[in-house]
Amino acid sequence: MSVSTAGREIAFTCHSGLVAGEGLPNTLGAIAKALAAGAARIEIDIHSIADGEYLVCHANRLEEATTSRGAVGRLTREQAFALRSKHDLESSLPFLSEAVALVEPHTCELQLDLKDWRPLTPERADALGAFVRPLGDRAIVSSGQDWNLRAIARQVPGLRLGFDPDRYITTAARDQAPIPGRLGAYGYRDDHPLALGRAQTVRDYLCDRFEMLVEQTPFACEFFIEYGLLLQADADGAQLPALLHERGIAVSAWTLDYDGPESLAKLERLAAIGVDRVTTNTARQFVAALAGRDT
């Protein structure tokens, strides 16, 4: 599922499996609907659990999405079977193995956004590699926790990995996250010493910071960047997609949803600066809106 805008083809990633903003995210039902709609890539959130499985869930704590309490990472498979969604008491949380089995017969890519913060053990990294092996190069694991991506790269060479730099640099508007904790001198939330005071142009600062992040994650074939950061950087003279493309790294923007002409304008701006993919809950609405505008 993709569109052509601003002279560039943009592929959509169905965020949490949602193709039209309806239904429960991160469920097998959502994934099935996205597959039926012809999704090019589906993103789901995953977290390792205690005895070798991975659970499809966004939160690190059970109470955020289920009727249970505690840390997701300490669950056993038996305990995970008993979980029920807070939003639908008839629904359980799927396992990664179930999601992979659903996607495997199709051509769709599956993006697994890894939510583990604690360092992955070699055993947990090996288990992840085994689960996604049936998908081959149609699987990509993304994370903002570069230490866990590094662990996976060591244990599962060849698995495609993507880095989200949101833990290191983001816009001033994203002040709800605990890190980065400081608004730097260049107008971005950034705890790096380089942001303590202005000693260069904003453009040069941004280029330096992203070159550092590339060096920090040499295993990443794709960067997943909050769309507001991409647009603010462009306004400050730094086209981050071009910088990353020069290094052979694809760029996905997250998470832009359709809400009328303003969102279409943002999509066009992202296309114009070279973004390859856009993560959205509303791919179907974007496709319909652009088709309607072209008729």
Side-chain angles (χ1 to χ4, degrees), residues 115-133:
K115 296 304 182 183
D116 289 55
W117 273 73
R118 290 183 178 181
L120 282 181
T121 63
E123 293 76 18
R124 291 195 182 199
D126 286 339
L128 178 58
F131 283 126
V132 302
R133 191 170 296 122

Side-chain angles (χ1 to χ4, degrees), residues 6-24:
R8 185 174 180 83
E9 192 77 10
I10 292 285
F12 288 120
T13 298
C14 293
H15 182 243
S16 301
L18 298 180
V19 71
E22 302 168 346
L24 288 178

Side-chain angles (χ1 to χ4, degrees), residues 221-257:
C221 65
E222 190 165 342
F223 266 43
F224 294 84
I225 305 175
E226 193 265 326
Y227 80 84
L229 175 56
L230 288 164
L231 295 181
Q232 183 175 331
D234 179 58
D236 283 333
Q239 290 196 344
L240 298 179
L243 183 151
L244 293 166
H245 287 160
E246 288 175 1
R247 291 151 180 78
I249 299 170
V251 178
S252 280
W254 58 266
T255 298
L256 177 64
D257 289 338

